[in-house]
Amino acid sequence: MDTAPSAQPVTTTPADGNRRRVATAAALASAVEWYDYFVFGIAAALVLGDLYFPAGSATAGVLASFATFAVGFLARPIGGIVAGHLGDKRGRKPMLVLALTLMGVSTTAIGLLPTYDTIGVAAPILLVLLRVAQGVAVGAQWGGAMLLATEYAPEGKRGVYGSVVQLGVPIGVVTANTVFLLAGALTTDSAFAAWGWRVPFLVGLLVLALAWYIHTRVEETPAFREAERALAEKEKTEQSSPLRTILRGHLGTVFLAGGSFAVNTATFYILITGVLDYTTRELDMKKSAVLTVSLCVSLTQLVLIPAAAALSDRVGRIRIYALGAAGIALWAVPLFLLIDTGSLLWLAVGTFVASCFLSIMYGPQAALFAELFTPEMRYTGASLGYQIAAVAGGGLAPFMMVLLLEATGTSMAVSGYIVVLSVIALVSIKILADRARAAEAAAEPRANADAATTAEPETQSELKTKAGTETKAGTETKAGTETKAGTETKAGTETRAESAG
């Protein structure tokens, strides 16, 4: 039966200084990785359609550009599977370093890639391949960074420590938007189209420096070291693997995790990429103004995400997670009613409220996914769940938004898309919660039985000890009596002998 196993306790207690260093490294790894990933999304909405897919209408170019954006999401499960399997067998740290290196190289290469006018059809082909490399890298990265943080977390603070990795998303968005705003402000429109858009991609070289730091200064997690020993013993007899274990016994949990999170990642990419294209192309809003709103809204997530995570440590992950999903469903229609006004103020209000609900979900998500799986298969299981959501939600969301707008002529179709994903999320969360309660209920009788079994030998031992004590006492009493009798007899004999003499 497919159940969500509980997390295993970590017996090794890392030093506080080491915890802080690891948490900081994990947060930075997440931030730079997501920065590299998001600059492609912003560029896809602004310039890549014209530069790499020039044939056809403007809408066709945007669709082609967003399709390339989506390809990165289709590649993410590959990164999650490969890095998850190796990360559960070889360690969290080496997979994170490899993911950062791949992302840095591929992002920098996009910044140097010639356009369609220069090398023809080879340009979009190479762009797609590099986007695939980005997808593999980010698919591998999230599990490694998340587990470095959560598996070093002190007791009762796994949600907070997991949220530092989740902060990488808003930090990446803020940084990517800031760099694009600066590039646009410091260049003319023609210069931006010619070379200004490349600058944000070339910043990807900094990722390589962080990869080297993590490789040389960060230690492997205590939970993995424990799981590594257990897995080594298991493999001697069973030759099992984390991926095979997930596929055979816990695939349902993986899909439920993905179903619970798809609405979050879909709505997020609609807000940062789809809305950017929609407001600038359809509503004639200024690019810089929309980017500024996106940047400011992302800044608020830096407070909301850790707050939601901290609350989940106190009242439970599922409750906070479900609250966020329900809020997204209720806000889907008002969101686009406000955006359609064409007002910058109402755009800010609509996206801010939506961002609040996204943060409520996203804060506890890392700890929740980590707790669905035991350490020896945690990288694989959590990564697969996350990346399935990324494909079903995030990768297709901007593309689906453009298709729905073109087919229906109304943004309410996009609201309906979000509502459907919200319902799927709430159903998935309900099933996960029911399974958790069932697992707890099943574990309680086993715990009582184990306690009884443990107590029984102790009782028997006590009885044996008591019996032995009584036997010894009886023997000692008897021996004492015999000795006394013998002594008395001897004494009497001696007295009589003396009298006779």
Side-chain angles (χ1 to χ4, degrees):
M1 185 176 69
D2 182 12
T3 58
S6 60
Q8 299 296 308
V10 178
T11 58
T12 305
T13 304
D16 288 340
N18 195 33
R19 277 192 177 121
R20 288 191 292 270
R21 182 168 66 252
V22 171
T24 301
L28 287 174
S30 178
V32 297
E33 190 92 349
W34 285 116
Y35 165 83
D36 282 6
Y37 200 68
F38 291 146
V39 292
F40 192 100
I42 296 172
L46 297 178
V47 296
L48 295 185
D50 293 334
L51 296 175
Y52 291 90
F53 308 96
S57 65
T59 300
V62 171
L63 281 172
S65 181
F66 280 161
T68 305
F69 178 70
V71 164
F73 287 84
L74 296 175
R76 281 170 61 168
I78 299 173
I81 290 171
V82 174
H85 179 71
L86 294 176
D88 281 329
K89 290 175 71 68
R90 304 290 179 244
R92 297 18 174 150
K93 188 181 80 169
M95 292 302 102
L96 180 58
V97 171
L98 181 62
L100 289 169
T101 303
L102 179 60
M103 179 63 85
V105 171
S106 57
T107 302
T108 303
I110 292 173
L112 299 173
L113 184 64
T115 63
Y116 186 92
D117 289 341
T118 304
I119 60 174
V121 72
I125 292 174
L126 290 173
L127 183 66
V128 169
L129 292 176
L130 290 171
R131 181 58 178 172
V132 168
Q134 279 193 320
V136 171
V138 83
Q141 171 272 144
W142 181 80
M146 179 271 290
L147 292 179
L148 274 182
T150 58
E151 291 185 345
Y152 264 104
E155 187 69 26
K157 292 187 177 180
R158 183 175 283 166
V160 172
Y161 270 65
S163 71
V164 302
V165 175
Q166 308 298 71
L167 287 177
V169 171
I171 291 172
V173 172
V174 168
T175 309
N177 282 335
T178 300
V179 174
F180 264 102
L181 281 170
L182 289 174
L186 297 175
T187 60
T188 62
D189 288 344
S190 59
F192 180 82
W195 59 268
W197 67 270
R198 297 180 181 275
V199 174
F201 286 92
L202 298 178
V203 176
L205 281 171
L206 297 177
V207 178
L208 301 179
L210 179 61
W212 178 251
Y213 173 83
I214 292 175
H215 175 67
T216 56
R217 299 295 302 277
V218 173
E219 297 178 5
E220 191 53 80
T221 72
F224 170 74
R225 290 196 296 267
E226 259 186 57
E228 185 179 33
R229 288 191 291 269
L231 188 63
E233 291 298 320
K234 191 175 182 181
E235 284 182 340
K236 288 178 182 177
T237 57
E238 300 180 16
Q239 293 299 316
S240 62
S241 73
L243 180 59
R244 189 180 298 117
T245 301
I246 287 290
L247 294 178
R248 286 181 176 178
H250 306 283
L251 195 57
T253 301
V254 169
F255 280 113
L256 286 170
S260 75
F261 191 62
V263 65
N264 187 288
T265 187
T267 306
F268 174 77
Y269 283 104
I270 284 172
L271 291 181
I272 69 162
T273 302
V275 168
L276 177 59
D277 167 65
Y278 177 61
T279 53
T280 55
R281 186 166 56 87
E282 299 289 342
L283 303 180
D284 294 324
M285 298 178 73
K286 290 185 177 180
K287 172 184 67 178
S288 59
V290 177
L291 283 173
T292 301
V293 167
S294 179
L295 187 153
C296 293
V297 168
S298 296
L299 284 172
T300 64
Q301 291 184 308
L302 298 177
V303 177
L304 294 171
I305 287 175
L311 188 59
S312 78
D313 282 331
R314 302 184 64 180
V315 304
R317 318 269 182 237
I318 291 290
R319 290 182 181 178
I320 303 302
Y321 197 65
L323 176 63
I328 293 171
L330 294 173
W331 190 247
V333 172
L335 169 64
F336 276 94
L337 290 176
L338 293 174
I339 291 174
D340 285 343
T341 64
S343 164
L344 201 61
L345 174 62
W346 290 121
L347 170 68
V349 171
T351 54
F352 169 72
V353 175
S355 178
C356 288
F357 291 123
L358 292 179
S359 299
I360 290 172
M361 276 192 81
Y362 201 55
Q365 183 255 342
L368 175 64
F369 277 31
E371 290 166 356
L372 290 176
F373 306 95
T374 49
E376 66 273 11
M377 59 178 170
R378 186 174 288 158
Y379 201 142
T380 304
S383 292
L384 272 179
Y386 189 97
Q387 303 314 332
I388 285 172
V391 173
L396 295 176
F399 186 82
M400 285 294 297
M401 181 175 173
V402 175
L403 282 182
L404 290 169
L405 289 170
E406 287 294 314
T408 65
T410 173
S411 61
M412 290 299 99
V414 184
S415 296
Y417 172 61
I418 294 174
V419 169
V420 169
L421 290 177
S422 298
V423 171
I424 294 172
L426 290 170
V427 171
S428 299
I429 292 168
K430 177 67 166 56
I431 296 173
L432 285 173
D434 289 344
R435 286 186 173 190
R437 282 192 291 269
E440 288 176 5
E444 189 172 346
R446 286 199 299 268
N448 293 337
D450 290 343
T453 304
T454 303
E456 186 176 352
E458 291 176 358
T459 304
Q460 292 175 350
S461 177
E462 289 171 1
L463 289 172
K464 289 177 181 177
T465 302
K466 184 178 179 182
T469 303
E470 291 175 348
T471 303
K472 183 179 179 183
T475 303
E476 289 175 350
T477 302
K478 182 178 179 182
T481 303
E482 290 174 350
T483 302
K484 184 178 179 181
T487 303
E488 289 176 348
T489 303
K490 182 179 178 183
T493 303
E494 290 174 350
T495 303
R496 287 196 298 273
E498 289 173 359
S499 300

